[in-house]
């Protein structure tokens, strides 16, 4: 990636670009530059991310926005703006490599999707962004003079996107671009997770969330959980996502409060549970081994005296045994539950045969006696204890203490938010039963789970699991 290749390549086009005449305008292409539109970028990145999931390759998305285009139009006129856009698209195509994609994303912007490569890190990506910027910012000859433009660039590496979909990757790059634009002119920013945490600040309208829930835009993504002993998948956690037609994949932090405020947590629970059980039945039909699916239950749902009947009915409907469903209950809910209806729901579900995980364990200050009131099967160790557990002796002591508590209470254990192989190895060594986190896989849409499961099974056949390796 370091050296600029000179082959001009446009997605689906070869040779030099000529703007299409207006009267036979192709609806899939931008009329000014002839470039494909954002949908093409999304589709291509979907394919590339799927390849990077299964074949260890990397991709990235760059969004390039010309600074101050309206001012340019005021000073030089619309025809000059069109020339600038055409010239910029040509330069971007010249700067990228064969197989990379250049698209027009919006009024003043372009998107670049990289073909997959074996090695791509932040430094290489920043160099590439700087190169794209330098080429765009060369003066542009218009009439007898030159126009000087500047551009801001936001990008995201495929491996860093909160969601492994084309849409998710573009959305992450667009958050980085927003940040770059706040620092314009000529800023370059890489996506960081803090940026996606800022999304809630851009308050989502309660009405919009309600419509999204009823319209089927809110659905679960699935994140695998694996045994540290065998490396095998023992379940998937269903995590709610809002697949927004324009904003891409929106994480639950951005919309759960709006749903809660409208009293819709029970409805959300129904939707996620139905979709999760549907997925489980689908994996069974496809001959894929997924022992269980875990669903997060809010305190609102757990307070519903009819919850156990509703869950039983749903399990019957999909003809699934209750032990295939794992109920995730937050430790805070259990700690703060003088409310008998919550105790009755959790114990009723356990009696039905469902498994119960105590989520975010270690943060909720539940007393041992309050734990005893609930039929819990597994402690799910909060991510805050897992981070750097391989390098920080304090973290190790805390995790060891939680694991010993689990053992003494006869409970299984699962660590969440495991991001590195080092953390994975240390957790296995400390005796944690299961792990979940980015080092295994990010939450993914149900459509990707089949390929992921097959690739994971293949990789197990090739290499021993970390836990076994450590003995
Ligand atoms: P949670 O139940 O603790 O879910 C784990 C969160 O950690 C998820 O965030 C997941 O995407 C993220 N995560 C997984 N692996 C890693 C990792 O290796 N590193 C890091 N940094 N994060 C990781 P997500 O999906 O944004 O969910 C946030 C919270 O929203 C969940 O926390 C859960 O409390 C709530 N939530 C999500 N879906 C539902 C739902 O369907 N119903 C209810 N009631 N709550 C939900
Ligand atoms: Ca959870
Ligand atoms: Ca958790």
């Amino acid at each position: 990636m370091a050296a600029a290749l000179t082959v001009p390549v446009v997605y689906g086009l070869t040779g030099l670009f000529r703007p299409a005449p207006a009267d036979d305008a192709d609806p899939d292409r931008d009329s000014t530059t002839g470039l494909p539109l954002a949908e093409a970028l999304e589709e291509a990145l979907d394919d590339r991310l799927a390849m990077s999931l299964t074949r260890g390759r990397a991709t990235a998305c760059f969004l390039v926005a010309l600074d101050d285009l309206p001012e340019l139009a005021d000073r030089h006129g619309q025809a000059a703006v069109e020339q600038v856009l055409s010239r910029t698209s040509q330069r971007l195509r010249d700067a990228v490599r064969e197989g990379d994609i250049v698209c027009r994303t919006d009024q003043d912007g372009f998107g670049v999707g990289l073909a997959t490569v074996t090695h791509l890190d932040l430094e290489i990506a920043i160099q590439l962004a700087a190169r794209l910027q330098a080429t765009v910012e060369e003066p542009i000859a218009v009439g007898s003079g030159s126009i000087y433009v500047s551009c801001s660039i936001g990008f995201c590496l495929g491996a860093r996107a909160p969601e492994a979909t084309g849409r998710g990757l573009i959305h992450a790059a667009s958050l980085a671009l927003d940040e770059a634009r706040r620092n314009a002119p000529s800023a370059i920013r890489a996506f960081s997770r803090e940026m996606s945490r800022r999304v809630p600040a851009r308050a989502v309208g309660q009405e919009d969330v309600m419509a999204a829930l009823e319209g089927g835009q809110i659905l679960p993504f699935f994140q695998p959980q694996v045994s540290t002993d065998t490396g095998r998948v023992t379940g998937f956690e269903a995590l709610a996502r809002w697949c927004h037609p324009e904003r891409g994949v929106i994480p639950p932090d951005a919309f759960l409060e709006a749903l809660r405020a409208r009293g819709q947590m029970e409805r959300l629970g129904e939707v996620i549970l139905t979709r999760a059980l549907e997925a489980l039945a689908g994996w069974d039909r496809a001959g894929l081994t997924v022992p269980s699916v875990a669903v997060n239950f809010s305190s609102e749902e757990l307070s519903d005296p009819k919850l156990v009947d509703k869950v039983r009915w749903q399990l019957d409907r999909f003809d699934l045994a209750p032990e295939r469903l794992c109920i995730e209950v937050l430790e805070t809910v259990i700690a703060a539950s003088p409310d008998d209806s919550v105790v009755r729901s959790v114990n009723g579900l356990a009696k039905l045969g469902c498994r119960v995980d105590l989520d975010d364990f270690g943060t909720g200050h539940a007393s041992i006696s309050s734990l005893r009131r609930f039929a819990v099967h597994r402690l799910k160790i909060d991510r805050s204890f897992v981070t750097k557990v391989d390098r920080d002796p304090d973290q190790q002591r805390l995790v060891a203490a939680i694991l010993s508590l689990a053992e003494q209470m006869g409970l299984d254990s699962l660590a969440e938010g495991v991001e590195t192989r080092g953390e994975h190895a240390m957790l296995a060594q400390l005796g944690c039963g299961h792990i979940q986190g980015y080092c295994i896989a990010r939450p993914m849409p149900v459509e990707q789970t089949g390929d992921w499961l097959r690739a994971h099974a293949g990789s197990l056949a090739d290499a021993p699991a970390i836990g076994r390796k450590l003995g």
Side-chain angles (χ1 to χ4, degrees):
M1 192 53 53
L5 290 184
T6 48
V7 196
V9 175
V10 191
Y11 191 49
L13 268 188
T14 49
L16 278 180
F17 152 73
R18 304 251 183 290
D23 49 354
D24 63 74
D26 178 345
D28 295 332
R29 288 184 178 273
D30 170 49
S31 58
T32 309
T33 61
L35 289 178
L37 303 174
E39 291 73 34
L41 183 62
E42 189 180 318
E43 272 173 32
L45 287 171
D46 270 336
D47 291 347
R48 278 137 207 229
L49 285 164
M51 268 182 76
S52 54
L53 265 178
T54 51
R55 287 185 227 157
R57 296 181 65 85
T59 183
C61 171
F62 295 77
L63 296 179
V64 180
L66 295 170
D67 298 325
D68 288 330
L69 216 53
E71 200 205 271
L72 200 85
D74 284 349
R75 279 184 37 205
H76 301 278
Q78 193 53 34
V81 168
E82 298 205 349
Q83 278 193 51
V84 167
L85 289 169
S86 291
R87 196 76 194 96
T88 303
S89 77
Q90 181 71 59
R91 286 175 173 178
L92 286 171
R93 291 197 315 262
D94 288 351
V96 300
R97 299 200 310 188
E98 186 160 6
D100 296 344
I101 294 165
V102 179
C103 288
R104 188 76 196 282
T105 48
D106 58 17
Q107 275 317 92
D108 45 11
F110 299 85
V112 176
L114 296 193
T116 60
V117 288
T118 43
H119 180 63
L120 181 64
D121 60 17
L122 203 56
E123 205 181 322
I124 296 175
I126 290 171
Q127 281 170 8
L128 178 59
R131 220 179 66 218
L132 293 175
Q133 188 176 59
T135 181
V136 170
E137 295 187 348
E138 289 277 319
I140 294 172
V142 174
S144 56
S146 290
I147 292 184
Y148 292 84
V149 291
S150 67
C151 71
S152 296
I153 300 184
F155 70 87
C156 181
L157 297 173
R160 296 210 174 198
E163 307 300 345
T165 59
R167 188 175 286 196
L169 183 52
I170 295 171
H171 179 62
S174 77
L175 293 177
L177 179 61
D178 288 348
E179 183 72 27
R181 279 175 144 157
R182 278 192 282 274
N183 293 277
S186 289
I188 294 175
R189 291 292 182 274
F191 170 76
S192 74
R193 294 195 68 79
E194 285 65 43
M195 293 174 183
S196 57
R197 281 187 209 110
R198 263 179 233 139
V199 174
R202 263 203 270 149
V204 297
Q206 290 186 10
E207 293 304 326
D208 293 347
V209 190
M210 301 276 286
L213 183 59
E214 285 320 312
Q217 287 178 11
I218 295 184
L219 39 82
F221 272 31
F222 294 92
Q223 187 177 35
Q225 305 171 328
V226 304
S227 153
T228 48
D229 258 355
T230 63
R232 291 216 178 92
V233 172
T234 53
F236 273 100
E237 179 178 5
L239 292 156
R241 294 288 180 271
W242 177 1
C243 297
H244 193 286
E246 280 123 40
R247 287 173 58 186
V249 180
I250 301 180
D253 289 351
F255 60 84
L256 285 185
E257 276 320 305
L259 288 178
R260 181 162 278 128
R262 295 295 293 261
Q264 292 297 308
M265 288 307 280
E266 288 174 74
R267 179 73 190 121
L268 172 76
E270 270 170 35
V271 168
I272 301 294
L273 178 65
T274 308
R275 297 279 195 141
L277 295 180
E278 194 176 73
L280 192 54
W283 292 317
D284 286 357
R285 274 198 309 277
L288 297 162
T289 310
V290 179
S292 69
V293 70
V295 173
N296 294 281
F297 281 71
S298 62
S299 59
E300 287 89 341
E301 293 172 85
L302 293 165
S303 303
D304 173 5
K306 297 206 194 71
L307 180 68
V308 179
D309 289 338
K310 286 181 183 170
V311 171
R312 183 188 293 121
W313 183 81
Q314 289 269 36
L315 285 163
D316 282 350
R317 179 179 158 201
F318 289 99
D319 199 18
L320 290 165
E323 59 268 22
R324 311 269 321 268
L325 174 65
C326 175
I327 314 290
E328 290 204 16
V329 185
L330 289 169
E331 190 195 11
T332 44
V333 169
I334 280 190
S337 259
D339 184 356
D340 273 351
S341 59
V342 173
V343 184
R344 242 181 282 133
S345 286
V346 173
N347 292 347
L349 289 167
K351 196 157 164 234
L352 182 64
C354 299
R355 312 290 297 170
V356 178
D357 273 3
L358 199 48
D359 202 356
D360 292 359
F361 187 77
T363 63
H365 311 293
S367 63
I368 304 283
S369 60
S370 70
L371 284 186
R372 289 259 177 243
R373 290 163 65 213
F374 289 88
V376 171
H377 298 103
R378 187 163 65 170
L379 300 185
K380 188 163 182 185
I381 306 171
D382 189 65
R383 181 160 70 86
S384 57
F385 302 103
V386 168
T387 307
K388 301 198 172 58
V389 69
D390 52 332
R391 280 178 280 156
D392 180 343
D394 285 342
Q395 292 288 77
Q396 268 161 42
R397 274 192 288 275
L398 285 166
V399 170
I402 295 174
L403 290 172
S404 128
L405 174 73
E407 199 181 336
Q408 280 163 34
M409 294 181 71
L411 305 178
D412 206 347
S413 51
L414 162 68
E416 70 176 8
V418 184
E419 292 186 350
T420 67
R421 288 184 63 81
E423 289 166 359
H424 179 175
M426 177 54 70
L427 288 158
Q429 218 169 16
L430 290 170
C432 183
H434 307 258
I435 63 157
Q436 174 182 349
Y438 296 167
C439 82
I440 305 296
R442 284 163 190 265
M444 61 189 100
V446 69
E447 299 78 30
Q448 282 177 17
T449 53
D451 282 349
W452 184 87
L453 282 163
R454 281 182 281 268
H456 181 74
S459 69
L460 280 185
D462 295 341
I466 256 177
R468 282 174 293 164
K469 216 165 32 188
L470 292 171

